[in-house]
Amino acid sequence: MHKPLKTYQRQIARAKPVSGEFSLLCWNVQKRSLTRPFHHYMEKLLMSRPSDIILLQEAKVTEDNHLGLAGYSYVLAPNIVTKKALYGVLSASRFTKVDQKGLLSLAREIAVATHKATLLTAYLDAEGNVLMVVNIHALNFMPVKAFENELERLRKELSHRDGPLIVAGDFNAWTPKREEAMHAFSDALGLTKAHVQNEEHIKTILGRKLDFIYYRGLTLIEAEAINAGSLSDHNPLYARFSL
């Protein structure tokens, strides 16, 4: 296992500007993104809920496999690299991407000793304005101080960026202190938490939800949690926005 040093990307789509209305799918897929059941489920899910942006956490990718996401380009910020596969956060989109940056956590998870990855991608609308999208998989089995430090590091990274912003993913906010740190982070950036229908499908630990979508400078049209059964230990979140 090697420490990742860069992001990986595949351009397989003709990009388009961000439209007046767009949709986003966010899901921790528990490293099952190369399985046949996952591909079949994603195909059906994207037919029922077409998504312009797809944010995956714990994605698994190989050099010769593009996840079956026909029509999407993607960027992967890995936290684990082996001889056979890459693992990390993956952001796929149909939109014109103008910037990307992967952040590897300074701290490592206890026991497994792996970093966690966060990925920033910037997309253009027809007027040349930038939509920033952050795909986050936060530290889990670490003291709350390390969790707070990583959120503060991300806040500083985003503090000079104006305009529409989405921060979504698996925040691992399963204690009161972690939840407080997440709220302080979102407040500092002027973010609003998306209120999700069918929230009983959102994964919880100790009664606290782990997966969230936050946004700024956008109008939320709808958001929902989708029951994906046993495909992953998390369920997808889906949201539609307008600029």
Side-chain angles (χ1 to χ4, degrees):
M1 184 172 68
H2 308 285
K3 179 180 177 180
L5 299 176
K6 61 180 181 179
T7 58
Y8 297 79
Q9 61 182 320
R10 179 166 294 190
Q11 298 296 126
I12 57 173
R14 179 176 294 178
K16 63 181 183 180
V18 179
S19 60
E21 290 189 8
F22 66 93
S23 51
L24 176 145
L25 184 72
C26 179
W27 191 10
N28 182 327
V29 295
Q30 202 184 13
K31 301 180 177 68
R32 297 179 183 177
S33 50
L34 297 184
T35 65
R36 187 169 298 174
F38 173 83
H39 286 184
H40 289 167
Y41 181 81
M42 280 294 289
E43 184 178 355
K44 292 180 180 178
L45 182 60
L46 292 175
M47 287 180 64
S48 64
R49 295 169 181 84
S51 301
D52 298 297
I53 299 171
I54 300 173
L55 307 180
L56 303 181
Q57 301 87 49
E58 291 195 42
K60 178 181 179 181
V61 176
T62 61
E63 293 291 344
D64 60 351
N65 192 300
H66 55 80
L67 303 177
L69 294 176
Y72 290 87
S73 299
Y74 73 73
V75 183
L76 174 79
N79 67 317
I80 299 172
V81 176
T82 70
K83 292 181 179 180
K84 294 184 178 181
L86 311 168
Y87 303 83
V89 292
L90 182 146
S91 298
S93 177
R94 302 181 187 277
F95 293 141
T96 305
K97 178 173 61 64
V98 293
D99 195 13
Q100 66 189 53
K101 184 173 184 178
L103 296 176
L104 206 59
S105 65
L106 300 178
R108 296 171 180 252
E109 294 283 19
I110 294 174
V112 292
T114 58
H115 301 269
K116 282 289 175 62
T118 297
L119 177 60
L120 290 70
T121 47
Y123 305 100
L124 282 181
D125 69 11
E127 284 72 45
N129 301 310
V130 173
L131 166 67
M132 177 64 65
V133 179
V134 179
N135 185 350
I136 183 171
H137 190 192
L139 284 170
N140 194 6
F141 304 110
M142 284 294 291
V144 68
K145 187 60 179 177
F147 179 84
E148 292 171 345
N149 289 343
E150 294 297 339
L151 285 182
E152 175 60 14
R153 183 171 166 234
L154 178 58
R155 185 201 65 77
K156 289 180 179 178
E157 180 70 34
L158 295 170
S159 62
H160 67 285
R161 297 180 181 267
D162 299 322
L165 171 64
I166 296 174
V167 183
D170 180 357
F171 282 80
N172 279 315
W174 50 270
T175 69
K177 290 292 185 181
R178 284 168 170 261
E179 204 170 58
E180 289 175 13
M182 182 181 66
H183 293 328
F185 165 81
S186 64
D187 289 346
L189 291 172
L191 298 170
T192 299
K193 183 174 70 175
H195 293 287
V196 177
Q197 298 178 32
N198 303 319
E199 63 177 10
E200 68 274 10
H201 297 317
I202 301 175
K203 181 175 179 177
T204 62
I205 293 180
L206 303 177
R208 288 182 167 81
K209 298 177 181 64
L210 304 186
D211 304 307
F212 297 89
I213 298 173
Y214 285 93
Y215 64 96
R216 180 187 76 196
L218 301 164
T219 299
L220 178 66
I221 299 171
E222 65 171 332
E224 65 172 321
I226 302 162
N227 185 2
S230 59
L231 275 172
S232 171
D233 60 347
H234 291 246
N235 283 314
L237 301 183
Y238 173 79
R240 288 199 304 125
F241 295 97
S242 63
L243 291 171

